[in-house]
Amino acid sequence: MGERFDEIYRRSLAEPEIFWAAAAERLHWDKRWDRVFDPSRAPIYSWFGGGKLNTCYNAVDRHVENGRGDQPALIYDSPVTQTQRVISYRELRDEVARFAGVLSAYGIEKGDRVLVYMPNMPEAVVGMLACARLGAIHSVVFGGFAAEELATRIDDAQPRLVLAASCGIEVDRVIPYKPLLDRAIDLSKHKPEKVLMLQRPQCRADLIAGRDVDWETAIASALPHACVSLDATDPLYILYTSGTTGVPKGVVHDNGGYAVTLHWSMEYVYNMQPGEVFWAASDIGWAVGHSYIVYAPLLYGCASVLYEGKPVGTPDAGAFWRVIEDHGVHTLFTAPTAFRAIKRDDPDAVFAKSYARNGFRALFLAGERADPDTLEWAENMLNVPVIDHWWQTESGWPMAANCLGIESLPVKHGSPTRAVPGYDVRVLNEAGQEVPRGSMGAIVVKLPLPPGCLPTLWENDEGFVSTYLSRFPGYYETADAGMQDEDGYLWIMSRTDDIINVAGHRLSTGAMEEILAAHPDVAECAVIGVSDALKGQIPIGFAVLKAGASREEAELVAELVASVRDRIGPVAAFKQAVVVDRLPKTRSGKVLRGTMRKIADSVEVRIPPTIDDPVILDEIRLSLRRIGYAR
Ligand code: COA
Ligand code: AMP
């Protein structure tokens, strides 16, 4: 067991150029690459330099030309609007070509940025693919972020155009997007020239004359636009993700390497066949949505389910099984938190028993560690392999997985199995030396990263190098900590930075602390991520009042909660905070967040030898008990 995997993995590292060139042959290139791998700008590496292709052509037009025109490409299933729509590859090509014509009519061309602020709906995917068709660089912003976050992204990406929908729908609540967008554009220094507004019947937006254009009117007179031949190394998109500061990082993915590895992953990681139905139950605003709702399934010729709903509440905990039955889903990819939500509402899996899952083959989980309880529950209920796999916005495709398309390795609950071919994953100690198998350390990838991973940050090579490549020269720092066991299985245990994972969403506690600290009555503060049975982690704030400030705790907490919601967005799920007299610190003044987290999670705490005053820990414990933690 494992020999076939070992052989492929070994080849991927020993002969990466031959390995990835063979994978690249599966796509259409307008011009073949000059060099598979280019180390000339090390430590910034590039793949398929000199090659020319178009990702949209490979994901859409190519399939029509090869006889898949009538096959479903997108299956839109929206319980929140009671809509289902199947879009064939031919229809998708025609819609995308026409929308590319709209963008072109507004002057959008290769290299221009287009911001997309839309929920999971076909028009958003059409918008993304139309950008890819022209070589414009899209940047999708998740709807759950507040105006200020949107403004930061507008200022960094400097989009000429914004594609927006008038609203999103959260279960049964209509969330108007236009006021958020208008406020973001007010706040941003950079002003997009135009906003193309898709008016949804649930909430129509007021248009600003001269800037905002009605989507339907714009497409009415549009002419189709052909695919533009792009350099493999041209950026396809920018996706912002939380970094260690309040400023998000603009992760770039390019055209060539990304298309090659996504296509490869559909076969070798996810074990799919072209024509089958793949469903990534995520949002197009996240990395999973970019790679596994939009690009990978389409590049590979699958039908991709685009779901606008939740695992529970739209209308019940049977939603996932209903979608699997309705559309004949072969493989589902989601976050463990979705399964925890289903398990919470339907512990005996009664709903699951009332829907057929003929042809359903595997469940893949990622976005956070798959806790063994949830994993076992899913295995027992579904009777198919449940695969935990590990990746990041930066990698764009899995870094560790049980590659079902190569061979199914034994599952160890709690581990995402082994490093995927192309990734030379190591575990290092503080001094940058490799630790023995079974020992904890920083998880890194020996450079170069395989194709498809971020080549750099948007217009910020320096930031790319300092953020990811400087701490351990010669390695990419994942900012995850864990170990590799005797069998080479990886165990991803925690982050080494201030990032927490809330319902599969990556959030910076540092960014939340910046907001708390800005409150006029707060002298100092800390935000930690504590364990949560549903969301994996949730943030909790601690505020120390300024001398002389006398405030009711409940009132102040309400203000802090409101300001995080207002400035980061509801997605932060920041709902609890306590006022404390002091924060526990080391003698050198470092706040002991890790110790506070252990107290909150009721884990045994070893009093840190460097602590300034151990009594403070008891005060913290009592404060946490008041809000239901630290039992
Ligand atoms: N637009 C506006 N608001 C949004 C939003 C969007 N696109 N997405 C989420 N929100 C809001 C929610 O309404 C909620 O607001 P509230 O505090 O007023 O209730 C808040 O942001 C948090 O949302 P969410 O994280 O979705 O939590 P939830 O409690 O509504 O649902 C789960 C919990 C587990 C059902 C949900 O998180 C889920 O389905 N997760 C799947 C995981 C996933 O998609 N991960 C992506 C990576 S694979
Ligand atoms: P994101 O960039 O939002 O996809 O978040 C990436 C981070 O989520 C990783 O760095 C990990 O911390 C965490 N993560 C993703 N998948 C897993 C997994 N399978 N196991 C443990 N942690 C994971």
Side-chain angles (χ1 to χ4, degrees):
M1 180 82 73
E3 278 140 36
R4 183 169 147 74
F5 178 83
D6 285 343
E7 169 53 17
I8 293 181
Y9 184 72
R10 190 196 58 73
R11 270 201 297 118
S12 76
L13 298 189
E15 303 167 337
E17 298 192 51
I18 297 172
F19 189 90
W20 292 117
E25 298 292 358
R26 308 285 301 279
L27 297 173
H28 172 85
W29 294 81
D30 301 330
K31 175 185 169 291
R32 279 174 67 89
W33 49 91
D34 299 328
R35 306 181 71 168
V36 179
F37 174 62
D38 181 0
S40 61
R41 291 185 61 229
I44 293 179
Y45 299 102
S46 64
W47 293 87
F48 303 108
K52 286 199 162 276
L53 81 169
N54 183 283
T55 300
C56 174
Y57 176 80
N58 275 285
V60 185
D61 303 49
R62 181 172 65 113
H63 301 308
V64 181
E65 290 166 21
N66 292 344
R68 288 193 185 279
D70 296 327
Q71 186 206 294
L74 277 183
I75 301 171
Y76 174 54
D77 186 303
S78 170
V80 296
T81 59
Q82 316 251 311
T83 315
Q84 287 194 7
R85 186 178 158 212
V86 178
I87 301 166
S88 69
Y89 270 101
R90 181 171 295 104
E91 288 163 335
L92 185 61
R93 181 201 54 192
D94 294 347
E95 285 192 32
V96 171
R98 202 139 73 107
F99 200 70
V102 172
L103 297 180
S104 168
Y106 283 104
I108 297 298
E109 48 188 44
K110 178 180 154 166
D112 287 338
R113 272 81 60 212
V114 174
L115 190 127
V116 181
Y117 191 55
M118 301 173 79
N120 273 3
M121 53 193 306
E123 291 83 351
V125 177
V126 166
M128 292 164 76
L129 289 166
C131 289
R133 197 172 187 85
L134 297 177
I137 303 163
H138 60 71
S139 188
V140 184
V141 180
F142 179 64
F145 283 118
E148 215 169 289
E149 290 282 325
L150 187 52
T152 313
R153 286 154 174 79
I154 292 174
D155 275 333
D156 196 71
Q158 311 226 326
R160 291 188 60 193
L161 198 83
V162 176
L163 307 181
S166 55
C167 62
I169 302 157
E170 281 293 294
V171 187
D172 51 5
R173 270 184 306 146
V174 173
I175 317 268
Y177 278 14
K178 186 66 177 4
L180 285 165
L181 179 62
D182 285 344
R183 183 157 162 236
I185 296 177
D186 276 350
L187 290 170
S188 62
K189 286 193 209 68
H190 171 84
K191 307 291 176 196
E193 294 156 34
K194 291 272 174 236
V195 172
L196 286 191
M197 177 58 64
L198 183 76
Q199 298 280 19
R200 304 190 86 186
Q202 294 78 9
C203 159
R204 295 184 70 81
D206 293 333
L207 302 186
I208 296 177
R211 188 197 71 185
D212 300 347
V213 181
D214 174 65
W215 187 291
E216 297 295 337
T217 314
I219 54 175
S221 56
L223 295 172
H225 199 295
C227 294
V228 173
S229 196
L230 303 172
D231 289 335
T233 50
D234 282 335
L236 174 66
Y237 65 79
I238 310 166
L239 179 58
Y240 288 89
T241 188
S242 299
T244 46
T245 65
V247 184
K249 299 182 287 196
V251 169
V252 170
H253 287 283
D254 67 10
N255 277 275
Y258 185 67
V260 169
T261 45
L262 290 191
H263 187 281
W264 185 92
S265 71
M266 287 302 284
E267 180 170 356
Y268 292 101
V269 178
Y270 297 103
N271 194 26
M272 294 297 290
Q273 298 288 329
E276 292 184 330
V277 181
F278 192 81
W279 178 22
S282 178
D283 189 284
I284 53 155
W286 304 118
V288 177
H290 280 66
S291 294
Y292 291 102
I293 296 175
V294 182
Y295 288 109
L298 298 180
L299 282 162
Y300 195 62
C302 284
S304 177
V305 177
L306 178 67
Y307 177 68
E308 189 184 15
K310 299 256 177 181
V312 294
T314 56
D316 53 39
F320 273 26
W321 323 129
R322 197 267 305 154
V323 172
I324 289 174
E325 179 184 289
D326 277 4
H327 307 301
V329 171
H330 293 96
T331 296
L332 168 64
F333 174 173
T334 192
T337 187
F339 266 73
R340 289 197 296 269
I342 296 171
K343 183 171 140 207
R344 183 194 58 185
D345 284 15
D346 183 19
D348 299 324
V350 175
F351 281 113
K353 292 181 193 112
S354 45
Y355 293 99
R357 286 189 301 276
N358 304 329
F360 183 63
R361 268 204 311 268
L363 166 67
F364 283 83
L365 298 173
E368 54 170 330
R369 180 161 181 268
D371 59 291
D373 276 359
T374 306
L375 222 134
E376 271 166 40
W377 184 80
E379 278 176 342
N380 292 336
M381 186 191 56
L382 295 171
N383 251 324
V384 297
V386 178
I387 307 298
D388 174 17
H389 65 325
W390 170 63
W391 56 296
Q392 307 182 305
T393 304
E394 289 85 344
S395 66
W397 64 290
M399 300 194 288
N402 199 338
C403 294
L404 293 188
I406 299 179
E407 67 175 311
S408 173
L409 298 176
V411 169
K412 296 192 191 188
H413 289 168
S415 160
T417 318
R418 294 184 45 188
V420 165
Y423 291 94
D424 188 354
V425 177
R426 312 278 177 104
V427 183
L428 305 182
N429 64 17
E430 290 275 306
Q433 292 148 341
E434 272 188 62
V435 299
R437 289 278 167 106
S439 302
M440 292 284 288
I443 303 181
V444 298
V445 185
K446 191 164 185 303
L447 294 175
L449 291 167
C453 297
L454 81 168
T456 189
L457 293 176
W458 175 245
E459 298 207 314
N460 191 2
D461 286 350
E462 213 180 297
F464 171 62
V465 173
S466 65
T467 308
Y468 299 104
L469 309 182
S470 298
R471 169 92 181 79
F472 301 110
Y475 298 91
Y476 163 82
E477 187 184 4
T478 66
D480 282 317
M483 63 156 181
Q484 198 161 23
D485 71 14
E486 291 299 336
D487 302 321
Y489 280 53
L490 285 164
W491 297 78
I492 316 295
M493 305 311 290
S494 58
R495 291 282 300 194
T496 57
D497 55 16
D498 71 357
I499 298 292
I500 57 170
N501 205 312
V502 182
H505 312 321
R506 170 169 159 181
L507 295 158
S508 159
T509 53
M512 296 183 214
E513 286 182 2
E514 279 176 28
I515 294 170
L516 265 49
H519 190 285
D521 293 330
V522 172
E524 57 176 346
C525 65
V527 175
I528 58 167
V530 303
S531 299
D532 181 76
L534 174 65
K535 299 197 176 191
Q537 281 184 301
I538 48 162
I540 289 195
F542 297 82
V544 177
L545 293 185
K546 280 186 182 156
S550 116
R551 296 290 314 265
E552 279 289 320
E553 183 180 46
E555 199 184 62
L556 179 82
V557 167
E559 287 168 18
L560 297 177
V561 167
S563 53
V564 173
R565 194 177 174 94
D566 188 46
R567 293 184 53 194
I568 296 182
V571 67
F574 181 86
K575 300 205 164 153
Q576 287 172 303
V578 284
V579 173
V580 291
D581 289 338
R582 303 171 290 172
L583 293 172
K585 291 186 184 166
T586 60
R587 278 188 280 280
S588 59
K590 214 169 148 235
V591 177
L592 290 159
R593 293 180 181 77
T595 308
M596 293 161 76
R597 200 170 52 231
K598 282 191 182 139
I599 294 174
D601 289 346
S602 309
V603 173
E604 197 186 330
V605 177
R606 199 174 47 83
I607 297 192
T610 53
I611 194 165
D612 185 33
D613 179 2
V615 176
I616 304 179
L617 295 182
D618 292 330
E619 294 170 13
I620 293 290
R621 185 173 285 112
L622 288 176
S623 303
L624 281 164
R625 280 199 185 142
R626 281 194 282 117
I627 56 167
Y629 295 90
R631 290 289 154 210

